[in-house]
């Protein structure tokens, strides 16, 4: 079968399409024919050995995707032909072996492509904004990197929670359109005055939550944009720099900075991902959660998919199409 391989820790250009043996099912495992692979920021970081999980090259990247069950033991709850979303490691391959707890049935409302974008970022949004940050109905939220995979999913989960206004922060007008299409009430462009624009959109009060997958030099104004009692949720560092905070800022205005890592929590607690999935399903049925898909790259052009995250041209969820013969038509 064909699979992607990261052959050196030198960035996206070291991603190659190679031939490898197909996996065989161990006891209780499900075998899945992968159709789409989600290309995620952790995949990009792993090509440079900069993610917290650092496999030695050569390794197959891919932490999420979707496909069709080829075989499954009866006790798994899955059957041949089921459309499934998969999360884990090494998923950018034509065939993968997975434990049943790594699989979710793709809701009927979603295409296979949307299913490939339904696990990592939506689970992250529910865990980080709601479980860790305590987002409640009626609260305002500022979503940074709002046109990205993590940002668009946070917008939709915030909407599903009844939060608002939902304000997306983005770097270009095209990305503003993506954030608005995902469901944001307002999109603010990064500028010298963006913090004041955000505060003005809340009637001068500030936001109850800043959801920050970007870090870097936006962090401080994200903190300053909080209302009294607000929470800044640290989700990631797409900008590269890890910000620091003088804790007197937290004391003086009764605000909090909360760290949140879904993967760490989901690996430690096998019940977490299924529980979050159950809580997301009503938002799918209501038509609020529908993963926006950006560019879909051919499997053979995966380098370009990885590069698009690196050069910031990516919007929404970038996918690689692993099996065009099984893809949505
Ligand atoms: N905590 C968790 O559980 C968790 C789970 C999944 C992902 N993450 C993290 O979340 C972050 C975002 O992931 P994502 O999949 O949403 O990525 P993405 O789709 O590429 O979006 C990231 C956004 O960050 C902004 N950005 C600012 N400076 C950037 C730079 N130097 N390079 C790239 N992007 C830059 C861009 O928005 P503008 O151009 O509009 O500024 C971009 O749209 C990553 O750090 C990832 O590791 C965390």
């Amino acid at each position: 079968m064909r699979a992607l391989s990261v052959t050196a820790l030198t960035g996206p250009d070291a991603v190659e399409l190679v031939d490898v043996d197909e996996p065989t099912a161990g006891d209780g495992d499900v075998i899945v024919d992968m159709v789409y692979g989600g290309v995620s920021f952790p995949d990009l970081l792993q090509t440079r050995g900069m993610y917290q999980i650092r496999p030695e090259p050569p390794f197959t990247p891919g932490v999420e995707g979707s496909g069709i069950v080829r075989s499954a033991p009866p006790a798994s709850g899955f059957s041949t032909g089921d459309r499934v979303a998969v999360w884990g490691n090494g998923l950018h391959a034509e065939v993968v072996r997975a434990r049943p707890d790594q699989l979710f049935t793709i809701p009927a409302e979603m295409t296979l492509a949307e299913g490939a974008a339904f696990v990592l970022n939506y689970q992250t949004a529910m865990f980080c904004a709601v479980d860790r940050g305590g987002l409640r109905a009626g609260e305002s939220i500022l979503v940074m990197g709002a046109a990205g995979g993590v940002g668009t999913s946070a917008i939709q989960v915030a909407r599903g929670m009844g939060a608002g206004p939902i304000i997306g922060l983005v770097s270009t007008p095209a990305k503003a359109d993506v954030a608005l299409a995902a469901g944001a009430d307002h999109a603010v462009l990064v500028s010298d005055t963006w913090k004041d624009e955000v505060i003005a959109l809340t009637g001068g009060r500030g936001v109850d939550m800043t959801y920050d997958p970007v870090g870097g030099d936006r962090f401080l104004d994200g903190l300053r944009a909080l209302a009294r009692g607000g929470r800044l949720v640290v989700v990631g560092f797409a900008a590269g720099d890890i910000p620091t905070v003088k804790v007197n800022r937290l004391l003086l205005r009764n605000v909090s900075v909360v760290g949140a890592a879904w993967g760490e929590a989901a690996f430690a607690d096998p019940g977490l991902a299924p529980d979050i999935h159950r809580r997301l399903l009503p938002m799918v049925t209501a038509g609020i959660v529908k993963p926006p898909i950006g560019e879909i790259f051919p499997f053979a052009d995966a380098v370009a998919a990885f590069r698009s995250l690196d050069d910031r041209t990516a919007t929404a969820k970038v996918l690689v199409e692993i099996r065009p013969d099984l893809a949505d038509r």
Side-chain angles (χ1 to χ4, degrees):
M1 67 166 184
R2 298 180 311 157
L4 298 185
S5 178
V6 176
T7 55
L9 299 181
T10 51
D13 289 350
V15 177
E16 294 178 19
L17 191 58
V18 297
D19 284 317
V20 293
D21 291 338
E22 281 189 9
T24 48
D27 229 10
D29 289 337
V30 178
I31 298 292
V32 180
D33 286 306
M34 296 298 285
V35 181
Y36 294 100
V39 182
S40 309
F41 217 85
D43 295 320
L44 173 66
L45 294 175
Q46 281 194 332
T47 67
R48 297 200 169 96
M50 289 171 66
Y51 193 58
Q52 49 260 42
I53 301 165
R54 291 189 188 83
E56 282 300 314
F59 64 91
T60 299
V63 293
E64 68 176 341
S66 62
I68 295 167
V69 171
R70 181 190 282 191
S71 66
S76 69
F78 294 94
S79 309
T80 302
D82 283 353
R83 300 182 328 139
V84 287
V86 193
W87 67 281
N89 289 301
L91 300 179
H92 288 165
E94 286 182 325
V95 185
V96 303
R97 174 178 59 209
R99 298 184 317 273
D101 64 13
Q102 291 175 261
L103 304 179
F104 295 104
T105 301
I106 297 176
E109 294 87 347
M110 282 186 197
T111 62
L112 261 177
E114 290 164 349
F118 183 47
V119 179
L120 175 70
N121 293 339
Y122 285 85
Q123 290 262 336
T124 294
M126 184 66 91
F127 177 73
C128 296
V130 181
D131 297 8
R132 294 285 295 140
L135 184 68
R136 294 183 294 271
E139 287 195 318
S140 52
I141 178 170
L142 165 66
V143 177
M144 298 193 174
V150 166
T152 49
S153 57
I155 288 168
Q156 295 191 349
V157 169
R159 174 74 61 216
M161 292 301 297
I166 301 168
I167 304 166
L169 182 67
V170 290
S171 62
T172 66
K175 289 189 176 185
D177 290 342
V178 173
L180 292 169
D185 296 300
H186 310 281
V188 171
L189 292 178
V190 175
S191 69
D192 290 345
T193 57
W194 70 258
K195 168 187 58 90
D196 302 322
E197 291 173 47
V198 168
I199 292 172
L201 287 169
T202 62
R205 189 178 160 269
V207 289
D208 296 300
M209 177 173 291
T210 294
Y211 188 87
D212 184 9
V214 179
D217 57 12
R218 290 180 207 170
F219 175 89
L220 189 54
D221 275 349
L223 199 59
R224 288 178 174 141
L226 287 176
R228 286 182 58 244
R231 295 85 71 200
L232 184 151
V233 183
V234 177
V235 181
F237 312 103
D241 290 337
I242 298 179
T244 54
V245 59
K246 289 190 174 162
V247 292
N248 64 322
R249 289 186 184 281
L250 313 184
L251 177 150
L252 289 171
R253 297 189 46 249
N254 284 297
V255 296
S256 312
V257 173
V258 182
W262 170 73
E264 191 279 335
F267 280 116
D269 173 7
L272 179 70
D275 173 59
I276 292 180
H277 186 72
R278 272 190 296 277
R279 288 189 276 149
L280 287 169
L281 287 179
M283 299 183 184
V284 176
T285 309
I288 297 169
V289 161
K290 192 161 177 63
I293 303 302
E295 197 162 354
I296 302 179
F297 292 84
F299 203 26
D301 201 14
V303 168
F306 279 64
R307 271 196 208 127
S308 74
L309 266 70
D310 205 22
D311 65 19
R312 263 166 100 173
T313 54
T315 57
K317 185 73 204 185
V318 170
L319 303 180
V320 285
E321 192 175 66
I322 298 173
R323 288 284 301 270
D325 54 319
L326 299 177
D328 299 315
R329 288 291 174 253

